[in-house]
Amino acid sequence: MWSLMFRSTFSWIVFEVFIYSVKGLNVCTSGSATSCEECLLIHPSCAWCAQEDFGMTRTLTSRCDLSQNLQKRGCDVRFIESPSSTASIELSRPLSSKSSGQTQFDVVQIQPQRISLNLRPGDLTSFQVQVRPVEDYPVDLYYLMDLSLSMKDDLDTILNLGTKLAEEMRKLTSNFRLGFGSFVDKNLSPFSYTAPKYRDNPCQGYKLFPSCVPSFGFRHILSLTDKVDRFNEEVQKQMVSRNRDAPEGGFDAILQAAVCKKQIGWRKEAYHLLVFATDDVPHLALDGKLGGLVQPHDGMCHLDDNNEYDASTKMDYPSLALLGEKLAENNIFLIFAVTKKHAVLYKNLTALIPGTTVEILETDSKNIIQLIVTAYNNIRSKVELSVWEHPEDLSLGFSATCQDGQALPGLRKCGDLKIGETVSFNVSVEARSCPPPGTQHSFTLKPVGFKDRLEVAVDYRCDCGCTRLTQANSSRCSSIGTYACGMCRCEPGYLGAHCECQEGESGTGGQVGACREAEGKQVCSGRGECSCSQCLCYESEFGKIYGRFCECDDFSCARHKGILCSGHGECHCGECKCHAGYVGDNCNCSTETAPCVSDDGQICSGRGSCVCGRCQCTEPGAFGDTCEKCPTCPDACGTKRECIECRLFGSGRLADNQTCQRQCKDEIITVETLKTDDPNAVLCLYKTENDCVMKFTYSEHANGQSVLTALQEPECGAAPDALTVLLAVVGSILLVGIVLLAIWKMVITVHDRREFARFQNARSRARYEMASNPLYKQPISTHAVETVFQMQSKSYNGDIH
C-alpha cells in the first residue's frame, strides 16, 4: 500500500512540476476562470488568490494559478483558496481473532466500519481497509436439491447426509446448522406434463419409474436447524418428480432460498452457504415467455402457508443480475454442485454472479460431503471486496495487499488465505464533478459473503471559503459591482478593477497613449486591450502575457527537447532564469559533477570529461554513464580482475565487503570450461599468488549489462617428478640408439643385397656366353672330351677369380 501511495504522490509531484515548468500546459492560467469556483474546477492543482490588491500584472485571470506561482507573485498564503480532498475515520473497532459467544454480535471482520470523505473534484484521496476472517465462525448451510427424475439415485445417496455432513463441518466450526429444500420446474406447459392424466402422476406410463409426485417449482422442507436427524428424516420422505424439458427451474428456487430469510432461518451472524445440487442446466430469464409468463421476477419472497413457491406460474425466471444482487444482499455463498457435463456452463455463470463457486458432483452424489467441505474451505480462503450503491460521479480504485505483503494494483481480492490471516486493501476515491449544493452521497464496501461492511459518506468541496464574504454593491467596486474573493464583478456597462470606468471611455487619446510603450508602438504591444488607461493582457493558451504594456510573457524562452528552459529554470520576459546548478541559454547544462563520478571515485572513470553533468567519453571503445564500460581499453582486464578476486575468492585490493559490493556490480558467471570463441568477448589472464593462471572473459550485452565469465578455479600446473624425468631421459637415449642401429642395419642389408644381385647377374651372363665359345671343339673320343672339358673348366674358373 505504501509503495502505491508513494508512486501516486511522486506522480502527482512530477505532474505539478511539469505543469509549472512547461508553461504552455499550465491548465490553470489557460482555463479563463473568472471566479474562484471556476478555478477550482479546472484542475485539482489550481488555486485562487482572494487578496484584494493582487493582480497587478493586469491579466484578467491572473488570480487562478498554481499555488506556488501565486505566492511568488505576492499573494499571501492566508488568501489562497486551494482545498484538498480528505478522509476521516468515524468508527474503527479492532478486528476480532476468533468467534466469541452464541450471538456473535461482537465479532468484527472488517476495519474501519465508517469513514467520511470530503472530495474536491479531480483530487484523489485514499484510505485503507483491513479484513480478517475469524476462526470458529457459525455456518448456516441450506441444501437445495433437484428432485427431477434423473436425480433418483442422488436422493438415495443423501438419505443419511445430515449426520455425516454435520460430523465433517463440526471439525471446521462448533456452530453448524443445516436446512433442506427441493425444486423441479414450473408446473406449466411446455416445462412440465400438464395433461389431466399426468396431473397427479407425471410418471404414468414410464416403465422405469411408474410413480412420482406432481411437478413443483420450489418447496422449502426444513428450516435451518442444528438437529441433523431432522434433515435425515425429511430427506427420507422425499420423492422425485418428472418435468418435460431438460432445463430445470433451479434459479426460481435459489432466489426464494435467498430472500425468504425468515422461513429459511438465516442467521445474521453466520456464514450463509447455499448448496445447489443438479445434473442439468437451468432456465434463465425470458424462458418463461414460452409458457406465457411475461411478468419479470420482482425479487420478493413468495412462499405460501405450505412453504411452496406460489408465484411459479405467475412470473418469469429471475435474471442473473437479480440473482446476484439478492445473493450479495443477503450475504449468501452459492455453491453449484453440478455434474461434469455441465460444469463449464456453471463456471461461466460464476463470472456474472459474485460469491459463487463450482464443484463437480458425481452422478449419484456420493462425493457431496467432500464437495461441500472443499467448497467451504475455498470460500474461507478468499476475501473479495464488493461495492454497493456506487455513486456515478465517483471513480474508485483498488489495490490489494495479501499475505505476502506485496501490493497488487487493480485487484480487490486475495486468495489462498488461512483462517485468521489479515489482508488489506487501499481504496482510492476521486470525484469527477460537483453535484448541486448540499448533495451528500454514500456507498458501502463489503467483503463478499460477510455481514460486516464499511459505510463511506461523501461530501464535496466545490465552494470557496471567500465566497461566504461576498458583498453586493460594495464600495470597493464603486458601489456598482459585487465584491467576491478579491475582485469586482461590475454591473453591465462598467469596467476596471474597481468598476471605475464606463464602456467607450477607452478610446480617448490620452488613455490610449498611456497604453503604448513608446510613440509608434502598438497599443499594449498588440497583445492586450487598453481599458481605463491600463493594459488588460490577452490570455494565451501557451502561457501568461504580462507587463505594463503586455510586453512580456513566460513562454517565449528557449526550449530543450520541447521543455521550456529545460525544466531547470523560469521564463521571465523571454529570458531563461536558470535554477542553481544549471547554466546555458535554455538551462540544459548542469554544473554538477557528481553524476560523472564513477564507482572508483574518478571523473568519468578517467576515460572522458564531465560536460553539463554527463560524461563525454574520449577513450576509444569506452561507453556507459561514467565511461565505466570499455572491453577494448588496455586497463579493462586489470579493472575487472580486482572484481573477480574480491567477488569469487575474497582477496585483492577490494576485499573489503562494502568496497567490493559498491564497485563490482557486474554479473559474474563461473564455468568449468571457458569458451574463448565469442568475438564480442575479451579474454583476460592473470597470474595468482600461487603461480596459477586465472582466466576470464569480459563482454557487454546489448542492454548495457557487463558480464564476466570466469573459471571456477585457477589453472595450476603440477611439479615434475624426478624419477619420471630420469626414466624419460634414459628411455629417450635408448630409443635413439635403437633407432640408429635399425637404420645402420637397414643400410647394410640394402648394400649386401645390391652386391649379391650384381654377382648373380654376372654369373648368369658367363654361363650364357659358354655355349658359343670359339675354343670349344667336338670331342673325338670319350677320353679326349673329358680332357678338353677339364681344361676348359680350369680356364673358366681362372677367369672368375
Side-chain angles (χ1 to χ4, degrees):
M1 184 198 75
W2 291 111
S3 61
L4 178 66
M5 294 180 65
F6 174 78
R7 289 196 298 268
S8 300
T9 304
F10 180 76
S11 300
W12 182 254
I13 293 174
V14 170
F15 179 74
E16 286 200 349
V17 171
F18 185 71
I19 290 179
Y20 174 68
S21 302
V22 188
K23 297 296 183 179
L25 297 180
N26 190 333
V27 294
C28 303
T29 58
S30 61
S32 300
T34 58
S35 68
C36 182
E37 285 74 16
E38 290 181 9
C39 179
L40 298 186
L41 287 175
I42 292 176
H43 193 272
S45 65
C46 298
W48 178 269
C49 179
Q51 187 171 317
E52 182 179 359
D53 58 353
F54 184 77
M56 299 306 293
T57 56
R58 300 179 178 86
T59 304
L60 291 175
T61 58
S62 60
R63 292 181 179 272
C64 185
D65 204 339
L66 300 175
S67 179
Q68 58 266 36
N69 288 356
L70 294 176
Q71 293 181 51
K72 290 179 180 179
R73 290 163 51 201
C75 185
D76 195 293
V77 177
R78 297 174 300 164
F79 296 100
I80 293 180
E81 296 280 348
S82 182
S84 58
S85 299
T86 59
S88 58
I89 298 176
E90 304 292 335
L91 178 62
S92 180
R93 295 167 55 201
L95 294 170
S96 303
S97 59
K98 188 175 182 180
S99 177
S100 56
Q102 182 71 21
T103 59
Q104 313 299 323
F105 291 118
D106 56 345
V107 175
V108 178
Q109 298 182 97
I110 187 172
Q111 184 187 24
Q113 294 81 42
R114 190 163 59 248
I115 285 181
S116 63
L117 302 178
N118 283 295
L119 302 180
R120 174 180 173 178
D123 188 20
L124 194 70
T125 189
S126 61
F127 57 88
Q128 190 181 60
V129 182
Q130 291 185 321
V131 181
R132 178 193 297 162
V134 301
E135 299 179 16
D136 196 26
Y137 201 70
V139 176
D140 288 346
L141 189 150
Y142 192 78
Y143 193 84
L144 186 57
M145 185 175 182
D146 178 3
L147 284 187
S148 60
L149 196 57
S150 57
M151 295 287 285
K152 177 69 171 61
D153 53 345
D154 301 76
L155 182 61
D156 297 335
T157 301
I158 69 166
L159 293 178
N160 296 312
L161 173 65
T163 304
K164 297 177 182 178
L165 183 58
E167 291 176 357
E168 292 297 325
M169 290 300 296
R170 280 171 183 157
K171 296 177 183 178
L172 305 174
T173 176
S174 61
N175 195 338
F176 175 69
R177 299 201 309 173
L178 186 62
F180 181 69
S182 61
F183 66 91
V184 181
D185 206 346
K186 296 181 182 295
N187 193 10
L188 187 72
S189 180
F191 313 115
S192 299
Y193 293 93
T194 57
K197 67 175 181 177
Y198 296 122
R199 185 170 301 165
D200 297 325
N201 181 15
C203 293
Q204 183 177 350
Y206 191 66
K207 295 182 180 180
L208 295 178
F209 300 100
S211 179
C212 58
V213 299
S215 180
F216 57 91
F218 165 66
R219 183 175 295 156
H220 169 53
I221 299 170
L222 177 66
S223 299
L224 292 165
T225 177
D226 55 1
K227 298 177 175 59
V228 295
D229 293 339
R230 288 284 314 280
F231 182 91
N232 298 337
E233 293 173 4
E234 293 299 334
V235 171
Q236 291 172 7
K237 297 177 184 179
Q238 303 308 307
M239 294 181 61
V240 296
S241 181
R242 185 186 181 195
N243 59 327
R244 172 172 286 178
D245 60 351
E248 318 291 4
F251 279 9
D252 269 341
I254 292 175
L255 192 137
Q256 293 302 299
V259 299
C260 298
K261 296 182 287 186
K262 182 178 179 180
Q263 293 88 336
I264 303 298
W266 296 115
R267 292 177 291 179
K268 183 178 180 180
E269 310 294 330
Y271 276 110
H272 302 160
L273 305 183
L274 177 58
V275 179
F276 178 78
T278 184
D279 64 349
D280 221 319
V281 298
H283 274 298
L284 303 176
L286 301 182
D287 285 356
K289 290 188 176 182
L290 296 174
L293 303 178
V294 296
Q295 180 181 349
H297 205 291
D298 59 6
M300 305 297 291
C301 178
H302 294 280
L303 293 185
D304 59 16
D305 295 337
N306 296 322
N307 283 328
E308 290 198 14
Y309 177 42
D310 61 3
S312 178
T313 58
K314 300 177 183 177
M315 290 188 295
D316 191 10
Y317 299 97
S319 65
L320 293 175
L322 179 62
L323 205 61
E325 177 186 341
K326 295 303 177 182
L327 289 171
E329 184 180 306
N330 294 282
N331 308 320
I332 294 176
F333 288 106
L334 176 60
I335 302 172
F336 286 125
V338 298
T339 53
K340 186 176 182 180
K341 178 180 178 182
H342 303 294
V344 174
L345 169 66
Y346 283 93
K347 283 184 179 179
N348 292 334
L349 295 180
T350 61
L352 304 174
I353 307 176
T356 57
T357 59
V358 176
E359 299 292 338
I360 304 299
L361 180 69
E362 295 187 10
T363 54
D364 58 356
S365 296
K366 63 182 179 181
N367 68 326
I368 187 63
I369 294 178
Q370 185 58 43
L371 180 151
I372 292 173
V373 172
T374 300
Y376 174 75
N377 288 329
N378 290 337
I379 290 171
R380 293 301 307 271
S381 67
K382 292 187 294 187
V383 171
E384 179 178 2
L385 282 186
S386 61
V387 183
W388 289 78
E389 300 174 354
H390 183 185
E392 293 183 358
D393 62 341
L394 295 184
S395 295
L396 299 182
F398 295 87
S399 175
T401 303
C402 303
Q403 62 272 30
D404 58 359
Q406 297 293 324
L408 303 173
L411 294 183
R412 53 180 174 179
K413 65 179 178 179
C414 291
D416 299 326
L417 301 176
K418 296 180 181 178
I419 301 300
E421 287 187 332
T422 303
V423 297
S424 63
F425 302 90
N426 188 72
V427 184
S428 59
V429 187
E430 179 185 351
R432 293 192 292 263
S433 61
C434 278
T439 301
Q440 287 189 340
H441 287 152
S442 64
F443 62 93
T444 302
L445 297 178
K446 187 175 69 171
V448 175
F450 287 54
K451 61 92 182 174
D452 305 76
R453 62 185 62 203
L454 167 60
E455 303 287 347
V456 182
V458 181
D459 197 2
Y460 296 85
R461 307 192 68 174
C462 298
D463 298 328
C464 296
C466 59
T467 304
R468 296 191 295 268
L469 304 177
T470 299
Q471 299 175 3
N473 299 320
S474 173
S475 59
R476 298 172 179 174
C477 305
S478 305
S479 301
I480 49 176
T482 300
Y483 180 79
C485 294
M487 63 179 296
C488 289
R489 292 199 294 268
C490 302
E491 297 292 337
Y494 291 88
L495 302 172
H498 302 286
C499 306
E500 69 274 20
C501 298
Q502 286 186 288
E503 290 183 0
E505 293 181 353
S506 60
T508 62
Q511 291 179 336
V512 171
C515 296
R516 298 181 190 272
E517 187 175 5
E519 189 66 30
K521 295 281 188 179
Q522 287 183 302
V523 175
C524 298
S525 303
R527 302 198 295 181
E529 295 180 357
C530 185
S531 176
C532 296
S533 300
Q534 65 178 2
C535 288
L536 295 179
C537 304
Y538 296 139
E539 285 296 324
S540 171
E541 61 179 340
F542 301 108
K544 187 179 296 298
I545 300 174
Y546 61 97
R548 179 180 177 183
F549 306 104
C550 302
E551 73 277 12
C552 295
D553 61 61
D554 58 2
F555 54 83
S556 297
C557 295
R559 298 172 182 264
H560 178 66
K561 295 183 178 180
I563 301 178
L564 193 68
C565 298
S566 305
H568 301 302
E570 299 177 7
C571 183
H572 288 284
C573 210
E575 181 180 353
C576 284
K577 302 296 183 181
C578 301
H579 296 157
Y582 292 91
V583 295
D585 293 340
N586 53 13
C587 303
N588 69 324
C589 187
S590 173
T591 59
E592 291 286 334
T593 59
C596 298
V597 179
S598 58
D599 291 335
D600 58 2
Q602 299 185 70
I603 297 294
C604 301
S605 303
R607 300 179 180 133
S609 57
C610 187
V611 179
C612 293
R614 301 185 65 180
C615 283
Q616 291 186 357
C617 304
T618 56
E619 182 78 20
F623 64 99
D625 293 338
T626 58
C627 304
E628 74 280 6
K629 303 177 185 298
C630 186
T632 59
C633 289
D635 60 340
C637 287
T639 302
K640 300 304 179 182
R641 166 189 172 176
E642 295 178 341
C643 292
I644 293 290
E645 289 179 335
C646 75
R647 290 274 297 276
L648 296 186
F649 308 110
S651 60
R653 184 178 64 87
L654 304 178
D656 176 65
N657 288 334
Q658 294 182 353
T659 304
C660 184
Q661 294 300 325
R662 185 181 69 254
Q663 296 191 19
C664 300
K665 301 177 181 178
D666 300 334
E667 180 184 3
I668 298 180
I669 303 173
T670 57
V671 295
E672 294 183 359
T673 303
L674 189 66
K675 296 182 179 179
T676 60
D677 55 353
D678 186 359
N680 298 320
V682 177
L683 177 63
C684 300
L685 304 91
Y686 69 90
K687 193 173 184 180
T688 66
E689 296 177 355
N690 300 326
D691 292 332
C692 299
V693 176
M694 184 63 191
K695 297 181 180 180
F696 65 93
T697 60
Y698 170 31
S699 62
E700 296 286 343
H701 281 182
N703 59 6
Q705 183 182 18
S706 300
V707 179
L708 304 178
T709 305
L711 291 174
Q712 293 179 351
E713 297 292 340
E715 294 180 349
C716 299
D721 182 60
L723 180 60
T724 303
V725 173
L726 179 61
L727 293 176
V729 172
V730 173
S732 299
I733 294 173
L734 291 176
L735 180 61
V736 170
I738 293 173
V739 170
L740 291 176
L741 288 174
I743 294 174
W744 178 79
K745 179 63 176 175
M746 186 180 297
V747 172
I748 295 300
T749 301
V750 171
H751 180 268
D752 288 348
R753 287 182 178 177
R754 285 179 177 175
E755 292 298 321
F756 181 74
R758 191 179 297 115
F759 167 75
Q760 288 287 65
N761 187 27
R763 184 177 179 182
S764 298
R765 189 169 57 250
R767 290 178 179 175
Y768 172 77
E769 291 174 353
M770 181 178 63
S772 58
N773 193 344
L775 300 178
Y776 177 75
K777 293 182 178 181
Q778 185 69 26
I780 300 174
S781 62
T782 302
H783 177 77
V785 172
E786 290 179 355
T787 302
V788 173
F789 178 76
Q790 290 176 358
M791 292 176 62
Q792 291 177 342
S793 298
K794 290 179 181 181
S795 175
Y796 178 78
N797 291 335
D799 292 338
I800 295 175
H801 293 291

